Amino acid sequence: MSPSDSDEVLIKQKIMPRMEDGELIWIGEGKKTVDVQGIKDRFHSLKIETDWKRLDEINRYRNDIEHYHSPVSAGSVQKMVSNSFLVIANFIRDYLEEDPRELLGEGVYDVMQKIEEVYNRDKAFCIDKLKSLTYFNETISNAFLDIKCLECGSELITSTDQDISADSTSYSCRSCNDEFVYEEVVTDLFEKKYALSHRDIMSGEEDISCSCPECGGFFLYYEGFCVACGVENNLVCDLCSEKAHPSEAEVFEGRCSYCNYKWEKMMAE
Ligand SMILES: [Zn+2]
Ligand SMILES: [Zn+2]
Ligand SMILES: [Zn+2]
């Protein structure tokens, strides 16, 4: 987008004004190009929109491999290359108004497109297998679409078997080959989704996580079921019809702690 005789002014860190035929123009100086923050500032002032979430992830990875090493798996890198391909292709199409395949050259374009296709095919394979399983309920089956490897974070993780119940198969990561049991995966998914941050608790939000009376697994207070064994309990007291806090163990037997106290007292008399 830089004017042709401006020495690529828009990507240069140092920009100098110059008068030419009585007109003020800006010229890039030196070899230094803008850093990531510089790119953000330029995009902002030029009203160029792009997917910064994707770009930041790619940039973190680039920084790691440039200066340290990266704990990221091959599968996650594949996803990032696939993501950067989309960002670049969209930018070329929308702002440079060029054909990405022509501008990048067939060789580069085809390699990037192939990586994107392979990743998408792998991901679809994982999702298909997960969708063939039977879950305790829809909340759990929906949560499984966000599954990530507990070890390397790759989204290329799926069940070992298909067409059986979700809690009787294991889950393996196609990037790092680590394997997990149902309870590990489901607990991780819901802990991330529901766990209150320390700040929420400080600001008065009630901590409603609790463990299942049947299996000790992660029990959802509002939904009233255990993600690990599927047991359901709406935690409503049979006697006063109030919803009790899960920390009141008696409510799993059908009474809140207050009614239970009265009931025990009555029984003792
Ligand atoms: Zn993994
Ligand atoms: Zn349970
Ligand atoms: Zn009660």
Side-chain angles (χ1 to χ4, degrees), residues 9 55 67 100 102 113 171 213 223:
V9 62
L55 272 181
H67 301 294
E102 258 169 45
Q113 196 179 41
Y171 297 82
E223 290 83 351

Side-chain angles (χ1 to χ4, degrees), residues 73 76 148-157 172-180:
S73 69
S76 304
K148 273 189 185 149
C149 173
L150 278 67
E151 190 55 42
C152 74
S154 166
E155 288 170 28
L156 297 178
I157 171 171
S172 58
C173 171
R174 292 162 68 78
S175 296
C176 73
N177 285 325
D178 227 322
E179 212 168 302
F180 310 92

Side-chain angles (χ1 to χ4, degrees), residues 182-220:
Y182 170 77
E183 199 186 334
E184 290 176 293
V185 176
V186 79
T187 307
D188 182 68
L189 281 169
F190 280 93
E191 264 175 2
K192 281 198 194 115
K193 227 171 154 167
Y194 286 87
L196 287 176
S197 66
H198 183 61
R199 202 193 55 223
D200 287 339
I201 295 169
M202 295 286 280
S203 69
E205 280 294 323
E206 205 178 356
D207 179 12
I208 44 82
S209 58
C210 86
S211 51
C212 170
E214 298 288 333
C215 75
F218 198 77
F219 193 93
L220 300 183

Side-chain angles (χ1 to χ4, degrees), residues 54 57-58 78-88:
R54 282 182 170 165
E57 192 188 356
I58 297 162
Q78 229 176 32
K79 190 188 117 197
M80 281 190 254
V81 175
S82 154
N83 279 348
S84 59
F85 176 62
L86 292 173
V87 171
I88 293 165

Side-chain angles (χ1 to χ4, degrees), residues 237-242 255-260:
C237 172
D238 288 344
L239 301 174
C240 71
S241 304
E242 293 286 326
R255 293 179 294 274
C256 71
S257 56
Y258 179 67
C259 293
N260 191 58

Side-chain angles (χ1 to χ4, degrees), residues 78 81-86 88-89 93 99-101 104-121:
Q78 229 176 32
V81 175
S82 154
N83 279 348
S84 59
F85 176 62
L86 292 173
I88 293 165
R93 230 175 269 126
D99 179 354
R101 191 148 197 255
L104 295 170
E106 254 172 58
V108 174
Y109 186 86
D110 290 348
V111 167
M112 291 186 84
Q113 196 179 41
K114 190 148 279 160
I115 292 173
E116 199 209 351
E117 275 168 14
V118 168
Y119 177 79
N120 288 342
R121 214 181 310 133

